[in-house]
Amino acid sequence: MAETPKPATTSSGIPVDLTYGSPSPGEYPFTRGIQPTMYRGRLWTMRQYAGMGDAEESNRRYKFLLAHGTRGLSVAFDLPTQIGYDSDSPLALGEVGRVGVAIDSIDDMQRLFDGIALDTITTSMTINATAPILLALYVAVAKRTRTDIRKLGGTIQNDILKEYIARGTYIYPIPHAMRLITDIFAWSAKEIPEWNTISISGYHMREAGCTAVQEVAFTLADGMTYVQAAIDAGLDVDTFAPRLSFFFNAHNNLLEEVAKFRAARRMWARIMREHFHAKNPKSWMLRFHTQTAGSTLTAQQPENNIVRTTLQALAAVLGGTQSLHTNGFDEALALPTEQAARIAIRSQQILAHESGVAQTADPLGGSYYIESLTDEIERRANAYLATIADFDLTGPYGMLRAIEQGYIQREIQNAAYTYQRAVDTGEAVVVGVNAFTSEDEASVPLQSTDPTLEARQVERVRALRLRRNTTLHAAALHHVEDAARNASNLMPPILHAVESEATVGEIADALRKVFGEYRESVTI
C-alpha cells in the first residue's frame, strides 16, 4: 500500500503537484503508473543483484549491501545450481561459485541468509529450471528459523520460456517445465500469498540483442502463455495474476526506454482485462523490476559505465519501475567489487533523493514525443503479437510454436546482427570502443574468486550425504518421482525432500527420470 505522499517543492521552492494532466496514474490502463502516488508515496525498491562463491561469501556481500541502503536482495546462482547439478558432479567441474553462489542443500541456503530476517526483506532469486527447488529451500529455511512463511516477500524468476529463446539454462521438455510453473502458481497462492511467483523476463532477450519493441512483444507473449497454461490447469485467473511480475532491461536510448515501459504497462492491462477477462484490477497491473543493461557495459574505459548505468536507471525511474538493480561499472571484466557495488547503489540513491524525478508521477507524460513513441511501440509490438498468434491458429499457444520453429530466435539474432554491423561501421557510436578511444587506459581492481572454494563446497555436499538420514532422504525422493508421474502438485513433495536434506541435484535428477531432458532441435 502506498504511503501518504509528502508535500514537495523544487530547489527554488516551487510547489510540485503529485501529477499533471490526465489520466492519472493508478487508473486503467496504467500508462502513467500502477500507483496513484508513485514515488511520492513510496520509492522503488533498490535491489542489488549479487552472489559469488559459497554461501558465506555471498552472505557477507548481502550484509554489505544492506548496510549501504539496499532495500531488497537479489540472488545470483552459479550455473550448476541453475541447471540442477550438485557441486561434486563431474559436469559442475570448474563452474562452482563462478557466476553466482553455489547452493546444494538446505544448509547452504541457511548459511546464505544467516543473520538476515527473512520477514523484514524481500528476496528476488534469478532461478528458472530449478525454481521450485530453490523456492522450497527458501521456505524451508524460513520454517527452520520460525519465520511465518505467509509473510515471505520476494520473487523467483521462474520464466523458462526465455531460457529456450535466449539463455539456455533449461532442463526439462517444455510441457513439463510449464507444469512446474503452474504448480508453483497454485501452491504459492495458498501457502505464501505475498510471494511473486514468476518474473516474466524480457531482460535476457534484450541482452541477446533484441530491440525495445521486440522486448515488449516477446515478454508479453511469454506472459500470455503462462496465464493460459495456468487457466488450462484449472486455476482462476484472479487467484494468481496479481502475483505475476515482469523483468525488463534498461538501455541507453533514454526516451525510447521510458516509452517502452509505458507501452508495456498499457498493453498488459488490456490483455488481462479484455483477452483473459480478469476482474481484479490488480490482475491488470504490470509490476516490473528493471536491471540496467549488462550488454552495454564496456571493458574499455570502464568508468564510462557509471554514466551509462545512471542514464539507464533514470529511464527506469521515469518509466515507473517498482524495483531497480544498477550494474557495477566493472562487470564487463569480472563480478563487481565492493567499490563498484557501492557506486551502483549510490547512483540510485542520488536519483531518488537529489534529482527531483521522484517528486511527481510520470514526469514525462504528455510530452508530444513520449506519447507518440509510446503509441508507436505499442503498435509495433501488437503487430508481433498478431504474427505470434498465427503460429497456433487453432489454439492459444502461438508463442510455444514460434519458439519451437525458431521464429523468435531468428528475430533476435537478426536484430543483434543489425546492431553489431552498425557498431562495426561506426554508424552506432560506442564511446571508448569505436570512438573517443584512448591508448593509455588505467586498470581497475577486479573481484577475484577464492580458488579453494570449489573443493570446500564439494566437501560440504559429500559430508551432508554421509550424515543425513538415508531412509528419510530416499523416501522423500521417491515421493517426488511419484508426484511427477501423476497429477499431484509437485511443490509439497519437493519441500519435504529439501527438509529431508535431499540436494538440488538429487531432486532435479528425480524429475529427469520422469520428464527427461530437453534437446534443442531448432535450426536457426
Side-chain angles (χ1 to χ4, degrees), residues 46 56 75 108 111 129 133 144 156 279-280 336 356 363 404 523:
M46 299 180 192
E56 285 84 356
V75 184
D108 289 335
R111 286 195 299 272
I133 307 172
R144 265 193 181 185
I156 44 173
K279 301 295 190 296
N280 185 349
E404 290 169 352
T523 301

Side-chain angles (χ1 to χ4, degrees), residues 48 50 65 97 99 104 128 139 158 204 209 216 319 321 415 418 420 438 493:
Q48 289 303 108
L65 291 170
V99 298
D104 293 311
N128 297 286
V139 171
N158 198 29
H204 305 88
V216 171
T321 193
T418 299
Q420 189 58 50
S438 174

Side-chain angles (χ1 to χ4, degrees), residues 260-273:
K260 176 189 77 177
F261 297 130
R262 299 171 90 250
R265 197 160 41 230
R266 183 163 72 196
M267 290 176 66
W268 187 248
R270 290 171 175 163
I271 287 167
M272 292 306 294
R273 191 167 86 164

Side-chain angles (χ1 to χ4, degrees), residues 9 100 142 205 389 402 411 435:
T9 64
M205 292 184 280
E411 287 294 297

Side-chain angles (χ1 to χ4, degrees), residues 22-33:
S22 62
S24 297
E27 293 180 1
Y28 178 88
F30 311 110
T31 311
R32 306 193 66 196

